[in-house]
Amino acid sequence: MSIFGNHAGSEVTGVTPEGAAWLASAGTYPRSTRVLWDDRPTAPVVLACGSAFDVVNAPALFGRHMLDRLWDEGPGSGPVAAHRGRMLLFAAPGTAQRLPSLLEWEEWGSGGASERGRAIPPLLCHGTGDAVTVPAPAPLAPPVPAAATRLGSRWLVAPDTRTPWLPGPEIMLWAAVRAARSAARRLLSEPSPTAPISIFPPADQDAKVYDVSRRR
C-alpha cells in the first residue's frame, strides 16, 4: 500500500499519488522512482529538469514574496518547494532558457539599471541538462527540529495532479518584478536604515495556506 498523500496534523502537505507520478516522470526510470518512494516515502530524490518541468531557484525570502504575489495578485503557482534555504518554484519547460533574457531586459532595457531591476536578486534557472533535489512525497513525522525544518527539504505547494499547471517565463518575470517592487516599498517605509534585519522569515511564515483549486 502506498503511503503518499496528506498527513493529518502536519503543517507540510504530502504529495498525492498523481503528483508523485508526475514528479517521477521527470526521471530516467520513473518506475524505479515510484518503487523507491513506496518503500521510503520520506526520501528526497534528484530529478532532471527540462522535460516535465523547469525550476526557478530563488533566495528563500524573495522566493516567498514571489509566491505570495502569484497567489494574492496572480494566477497561483505550480508546485513549490523549500530546499536548504532556497525556494524552488516549478515552471513550464523552456522557462530556464527564456527567463534570464527577460530579467536582463527588465534591469537594463531603459538604458540603465532600473530600481526594481536592481531589487531582483540573482535567480538560478534550471532547465535542460540540469537537475534538482526534490523533497520527499511524505513530510517527516513530527517532532522535527526547527533548524531542520528551515534548512531541509519540504513542499510548500505540493504536486497534486499528473498534469499540473506550470507558470511560464512571463509570469515568473511578473512575480519577480512585483516582489521587487514590494521589497522597495518596504525599504522606504523602514523607520531606521540602521535597524537590524533578520535574514530568516518569521516563524509563522510557513503557516500560510494556498488554495490550490485556484491554479489555472
Side-chain angles (χ1 to χ4, degrees), residues 138-153:
L140 293 173
V144 180
T149 300
R150 186 175 66 242
L151 298 177
S153 297

Side-chain angles (χ1 to χ4, degrees), residues 1 12 28 40 49 72-73 113 118 126 133 161 164 175 177 195-196 203:
M1 178 174 131
V12 184
T28 306
R40 297 176 55 202
C49 301
D72 293 344
E73 305 169 22
R118 286 197 299 267
H126 306 296
T133 299
T161 174
V177 169

Side-chain angles (χ1 to χ4, degrees), residues 53-178:
F53 54 76
D54 282 0
V55 169
V56 176
N57 183 333
L61 190 56
F62 189 80
R64 172 66 71 175
H65 294 321
M66 287 180 63
L67 184 58
D68 287 344
R69 297 287 72 73
L70 285 166
W71 285 100
D72 293 344
E73 305 169 22
S77 73
V80 180
H83 179 69
R84 296 187 180 277
R86 305 281 297 185
M87 191 82 76
L88 307 181
L89 297 101
F90 286 67
T95 298
Q97 180 179 7
R98 178 67 177 144
L99 182 58
S101 60
L102 293 177
L103 288 168
E104 184 178 3
W105 181 89
E106 177 63 32
E107 182 173 358
W108 299 104
S110 60
S114 65
E115 289 296 328
R116 65 186 184 186
R118 286 197 299 267
I120 300 175
L123 303 178
L124 306 179
C125 298
H126 306 296
T128 302
D130 300 323
V132 295
T133 299
V134 303
L140 293 173
V144 180
T149 300
R150 186 175 66 242
L151 298 177
S153 297
R154 66 197 187 281
W155 290 105
L156 302 180
V157 182
D160 57 1
T161 174
R162 287 178 181 267
T163 56
W165 177 80
L166 298 170
E170 292 82 6
I171 292 177
M172 299 304 291
L173 173 69
W174 174 88
V177 169
R178 288 297 181 97

